[in-house]
Amino acid sequence: MTQTTPQRSAAMKQGSNRAPHRSLLYALGLTEAELERPFVAVVNSFNEVVPGHVHLRDITEAVKAGIRMAGAVPLEFPAIAVCDGLAMNHVGMKYSLVSRDHIADSCEIMLRAHVFDGVVFIPSCDKTVPGMLMAAARLNLPSIFVSGGPMLPGHVEGSGSMGLMGVFEGVGAHAAGRITQEELTLIEQAVCPTCGSCAGMYTANTMNCLTEAMGLGLPGNGSIPAVMAGRRRLAKAAGARIVELIDANITARDIMTPAAIENALAVDMALGGSTNSVLHLLAIAREAGYTLTLERIGEIAERTPQLCRLDPAGSHFITDLDRVGGIRALLAELAKAELIDVTATTVDGSVAARIAGSPGADGTVIRPLADPWSPNGGLAILRGNLAPNGSVVKQGAVLPQMLRHEGPARVFESEEEACEAIFGGRIRPGDVVVIRFEGPRGGPGMREMLSPTSALAGMGLDDSVALVTDGRFSGASRGASIGHASPEAAAGGLIAYVHEGDRIAIDIPGRSIELLVSEAELARREPAPQPDRRLGGVLARYQREVGPADQGAALADYDSVCEEEKR
């Protein structure tokens, strides 16, 4: 390659006073010729715990091959990753959202301490993607993403294709006596047949698709399956492309503009993605210097039709989306109604150039604008006295009869208490399950709660029972599951004042959620006492520093870091 812009890494390797630094670089086995080339960080989130990450050594080697082919030097370092499925429904889930900010911080540490010219981020599962996107925005280096790709769906005889959600719902079905232990075992052994991020439009695949829509991943980043050769070719192409971005000095924030983030939100609404995307995009936009609000997200949701119903909302999977053109086709369909900004920059040109030649919707996996699943997006922002600062529901995965619901509150101080009641048969049709003190501060860590939602679905109660929480729901959740209720109970939100049997009215089309208790009665009540979590270590620090869900559960203000970059 011909380098036309000054190398950032020169600060670490050029000049007589950098002789000690060069000596250490020679200890890595680098040659004099390599010291003249750009240094590219390769952030590999491989581990042997997470199925979505177990193959990332292979992806990383392909990225590094692409970097070398383009004439630069790849230098790899690791990032942690939590498997939300394995962490679900026990204390481990308290650490999942915490890991997002730890990943961003650890990337900052490595990329600041060692002066790189650019960076390739290799995430796959739930919190690695937003954590690395936050780091990209914060550090503002030439950056590109290539995910590990989605898992293939499993096949269960008599039930067809199935993703991980099917196992969680199978647990509820087994508890209700609807399937046998032998049938549950067949399901659990069939639904995760390959490596990769879980097969549905859950949080990991949502965020990888939004990374592509935002322009930081090449076409196919969100949808090419993990086991396909195309995923390795994509990784090589990303490795080569980062060198071109370095040469052109195109940095992360040149791409992560308000227009790009809003393009991602439009795609999110058309896909009916995970409710967690709202939490993460709020935090990502903040790092990029864009003040995104729930009000703005609601506006984009109202104007953007839902064109896809992928698992858990429907029978199609991310592999089906890839087969019909992936995110590129969805962007092309949205562009027909000017629902995206086609002038936005991506890592390989404008959005307009990227979607040129794509016919858009196939009519089945991606419905046309003239025949959407819904005229509004797959996610909705609800407000009311129970969530004056907002709450989030995946409306595209709610049964029609549950779009409006009123019932008595069944109040629980933790996910465990709620699950015990559900599996114990104590939840009845018409109830509204309220799970509080699971918010960012109250949890702490704002646990995802797939077990209660899937248990209700598996027990056949998703057509008559709603859930409300200041915590989160998994991207695999479906039903009238309203999360992120803000302010949370630990911050004095009204959810802390709900009593057993209080009536709660949910109106998803009307975008409201109300506790039907008089002001006079509420004035007489005291908030429920916060459970004693007996915290220490990272959870205690997180509880002290974390902000509210309606602001992305963000931690500290990183403007000072941005100023350091300018200097």
Side-chain angles (χ1 to χ4, degrees):
M1 65 166 286
T2 301
Q3 184 71 24
T4 58
T5 57
Q7 292 184 12
R8 291 171 174 82
S9 59
M12 187 170 62
K13 63 187 183 182
Q14 291 183 6
S16 58
N17 62 342
R18 293 296 185 257
H21 303 66
R22 290 191 294 274
S23 182
L24 291 166
L25 293 169
Y26 289 137
L28 299 176
L30 298 182
T31 66
E32 286 187 79
E34 286 177 305
L35 263 60
E36 297 298 319
R37 299 172 184 172
F39 282 4
V40 180
V42 179
V43 189
N44 179 7
S45 56
F46 161 84
N47 64 50
E48 293 182 340
V49 181
V50 185
H53 292 244
V54 72
H55 63 304
L56 292 188
R57 281 177 173 163
D58 186 20
I59 300 296
T60 299
E61 288 306 314
V63 167
K64 287 155 71 175
I67 292 169
R68 292 190 184 102
M69 285 191 300
V73 179
L75 295 167
E76 177 187 340
F77 65 81
I80 66 165
V82 170
C83 178
D84 280 19
L86 292 173
M88 197 71 66
N89 195 224
H90 58 82
V91 70
M93 181 48 73
K94 292 179 182 290
Y95 291 86
S96 177
L97 185 58
V98 175
S99 77
R100 181 193 73 177
D101 297 87
H102 177 86
I103 289 163
D105 291 348
S106 62
C107 288
E108 176 190 339
I109 289 167
M110 287 296 290
L111 291 167
R112 289 286 185 208
H114 314 100
V115 190
F116 288 96
D117 297 293
V119 53
V120 181
F121 292 100
I122 307 175
S124 192
C125 289
D126 291 26
K127 305 309 175 294
T128 53
V129 189
M132 290 182 182
L133 285 167
M134 290 165 67
R138 189 186 302 175
L139 297 164
N140 199 30
L141 293 169
S143 304
I144 196 168
F145 281 66
V146 56
S147 78
M151 181 185 291
L152 298 181
H155 182 82
V156 178
E157 194 65 33
S159 300
S161 295
M162 190 177 290
L164 185 65
M165 177 193 72
V167 192
F168 279 90
E169 293 191 0
V171 172
H174 177 258
R178 301 172 72 186
I179 64 172
T180 66
Q181 180 61 52
E182 290 72 22
E183 289 172 313
L184 179 59
T185 298
L186 287 174
I187 292 171
E188 71 181 68
Q189 292 179 348
V191 301
C192 294
T194 71
C195 61
S197 47
C198 294
M201 187 49 69
Y202 311 156
T203 303
N205 288 329
T206 296
M207 292 307 301
N208 284 317
C209 286
L210 300 191
T211 301
E212 180 181 336
M214 197 182 301
L216 278 170
L218 290 169
N221 178 73
S223 60
I224 297 174
V227 295
M228 299 300 186
R231 177 60 55 179
R232 278 76 185 159
R233 291 195 295 272
L234 182 75
K236 286 183 181 177
R241 184 60 191 157
I242 188 62
V243 182
E244 297 176 8
L245 293 171
I246 291 168
D247 189 45
N249 196 30
I250 297 173
T251 65
R253 284 197 221 164
D254 291 331
I255 296 168
M256 301 172 79
T257 61
I261 293 170
E262 294 196 359
N263 281 350
L265 276 164
V267 166
D268 195 11
M269 299 306 163
L271 284 172
S274 167
T275 53
N276 287 309
S277 62
V278 172
L279 192 76
H280 298 323
L281 286 170
L282 286 166
I284 291 161
R286 180 174 179 269
E287 296 279 7
Y290 167 41
T291 304
L292 181 63
T293 64
L294 285 182
E295 287 82 3
R296 183 57 182 158
I297 293 173
E299 290 170 4
I300 294 170
E302 291 301 318
R303 77 183 189 202
T304 309
Q306 183 177 358
L307 303 181
C308 301
R309 272 193 178 171
L310 306 179
D311 179 71
S315 59
H316 293 123
F317 287 82
I318 192 77
T319 47
D320 298 306
L321 180 66
D322 186 65
R323 174 175 52 81
V324 300
I327 296 304
R328 180 171 173 261
L330 187 57
L331 284 166
E333 187 66 20
L334 293 172
K336 294 176 183 178
E338 298 182 349
L339 292 170
I340 59 165
D341 186 340
V342 298
T343 68
T345 299
T346 77
V347 290
D348 63 338
S350 68
V351 173
R354 179 173 283 194
I355 65 176
S358 174
D362 71 303
T364 303
V365 181
I366 304 173
R367 283 195 172 188
L369 289 164
D371 183 31
W373 285 105
S374 167
N376 309 120
L379 302 179
I381 307 300
L382 309 186
R383 294 181 186 275
N385 66 354
L386 199 52
N389 293 348
S391 60
V392 186
V393 63
K394 186 189 282 194
Q395 66 172 351
V398 178
L399 292 171
Q401 61 266 41
M402 288 300 293
L403 290 171
R404 292 183 174 88
H405 180 78
E406 182 182 322
R410 304 297 308 280
V411 184
F412 304 95
E413 311 303 325
S414 69
E415 178 187 6
E416 287 83 357
E417 288 185 16
C419 284
E420 183 181 353
I422 293 168
F423 287 116
R426 303 201 304 273
I427 302 301
R428 305 299 181 196
D431 286 347
V432 179
V433 175
V434 176
I435 308 174
R436 62 191 178 193
F437 294 108
E438 290 286 6
R441 188 193 306 174
M446 204 178 183
R447 286 193 287 182
E448 283 186 3
M449 290 180 277
L450 179 56
S451 290
T453 60
S454 56
L456 289 171
M459 297 170 84
L461 292 171
D462 59 323
D463 63 350
S464 60
V465 174
L467 293 92
V468 179
T469 183
D470 52 9
R472 298 182 294 136
F473 292 115
S474 165
S477 293
R478 60 188 176 95
S481 304
I482 296 98
H484 308 198
S486 186
E488 62 175 298
L494 191 63
I495 193 170
Y497 292 79
V498 180
H499 284 186
E500 186 82 4
D502 287 348
R503 304 290 292 184
I504 293 176
I506 298 164
D507 183 354
I508 294 174
R511 305 295 186 252
S512 71
I513 179 167
E514 293 284 338
L515 177 64
L516 303 179
V517 175
S518 70
E519 290 291 334
E521 170 60 23
L522 290 174
R524 287 191 289 269
R525 291 183 181 180
E526 295 291 329
Q530 183 165 350
D532 182 5
R533 305 294 195 202
R534 299 184 183 275
L535 300 176
V538 66
L539 290 181
R541 293 198 301 272
Y542 186 85
Q543 187 179 62
R544 289 193 300 269
E545 296 176 7
V546 70
D550 60 284
Q551 297 176 25
L555 297 181
D557 189 338
Y558 293 105
D559 286 347
S560 59
V561 175
C562 303
E563 290 302 316
E564 180 66 23
E565 168 69 12
K566 294 173 186 175
R567 290 195 290 271

